[in-house]
């Protein structure tokens, strides 16, 4: 089913621990490390018509590195909106997973963290999703990420995994909110 959509907002949550994290490694080293594992990916379709995949969260398959369940889910999203720009808060990370790890290549990727640099809001509020959303009144980021530190997909209880998937969807919703605030402040080439 093909539905016209201008934006697909997406967010990945992945395994990390105290020593294996983006704070300690480059995005490439982190994502190509054999410990890399997708826990969940959420999508939010924006603009025009509602898409049946809107608001969906795909649970990882437990595979390290490339994840067949996430890849199939995101291929369906790309087919539903082939010309859409895909939006993430940290597209250096989320876009790397999308394109390099899963082989999904959307028409365009937009980064709300980069938009915050362009508009100057990162200098005022900081560049993290949490600080930008709080500073711009977009919403509140949950704290489930800290609870999930050191947990691989197979370590999650069903209840915790459900909460973590909601957390992932909330991050996608917050990113969508940032796009709505920051996007109109940027020229088309941003």
């Amino acid at each position: 089913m093909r539905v016209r959509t201008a934006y697909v907002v997406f967010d990945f949550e992945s395994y990390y621990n105290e020593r294996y994290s983006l704070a300690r490694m480059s995005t490439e080293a982190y994502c190509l490390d054999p410990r890399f594992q997708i826990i969940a990916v959420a999508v939010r379709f924006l603009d025009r018509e509602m898409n049946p995949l809107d608001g969906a969260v795909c649970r990882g398959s437990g595979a390290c590195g490339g994840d067949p369940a996430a890849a199939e889910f995101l291929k369906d999203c790309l087919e539903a909106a082939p010309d859409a720009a895909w939006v993430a808060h940290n597209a250096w990370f989320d876009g790397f997973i999308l394109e390099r790890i899963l082989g999904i290549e959307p028409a365009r990727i937009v980064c709300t963290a980069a938009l915050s640099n362009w508009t100057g809001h990162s200098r005022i509020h900081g560049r993290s999703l949490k600080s930008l959303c709080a500073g711009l009144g977009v919403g509140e980021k949950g704290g489930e990420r800290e609870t999930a530190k050191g947990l691989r997909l197979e370590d999650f209880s069903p209840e915790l995994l459900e909460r973590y998937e909601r957390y992932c969807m909330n991050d996608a919703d917050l990113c969508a909110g940032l796009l709505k605030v920051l996007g109109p402040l940027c020229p088309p080439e941003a």
Side-chain angles (χ1 to χ4, degrees), residues 10-70:
F10 68 108
D11 180 68
F12 283 99
E13 296 302 331
S14 60
Y15 168 74
Y16 80 107
N17 65 32
E18 198 69 39
R19 294 182 10 225
Y20 168 68
S21 71
L22 287 170
R24 295 182 171 267
M25 311 168 80
S26 70
T27 298
E28 184 174 19
Y30 175 85
C31 292
L32 296 178
D33 189 283
R35 294 170 285 187
F36 179 77
Q37 182 187 51
I38 294 170
I39 305 296
V41 58
V43 296
R44 176 64 75 196
F45 286 73
L46 298 182
D47 298 341
R48 300 187 187 119
E49 300 174 45
M50 190 67 128
N51 187 293
L53 296 168
D54 180 54
V57 178
C58 176
R59 184 172 295 169
S61 65
C64 291
D67 188 305

Side-chain angles (χ1 to χ4, degrees), residues 6-10 83-95 98-99 106-116 118 175-176 178-180 182-184 186-190:
Y7 297 102
V8 177
V9 180
F10 68 108
D83 299 325
W86 286 50
V87 184
H89 183 65
N90 180 2
W92 295 274
F93 171 69
D94 296 279
L98 188 71
E99 291 186 328
R108 181 177 179 209
I109 294 181
V110 176
C111 179
T112 55
L115 294 182
S116 76
W118 186 277
C175 182
L178 285 178
L179 178 67
K180 289 177 183 176
L182 299 173
C186 295
E189 69 273 8

Side-chain angles (χ1 to χ4, degrees), residues 73-86:
F73 168 70
L74 293 167
K75 282 179 191 166
D76 290 345
C77 293
L78 184 62
E79 285 177 17
D83 299 325
W86 286 50

Side-chain angles (χ1 to χ4, degrees), residues 142-157:
E144 287 81 2
R145 182 154 164 69
E146 198 56 36
T147 305
K149 185 191 290 183
L151 295 180
R152 299 197 61 78
L153 182 61
E154 55 272 17
D155 300 328
F156 280 79
S157 70

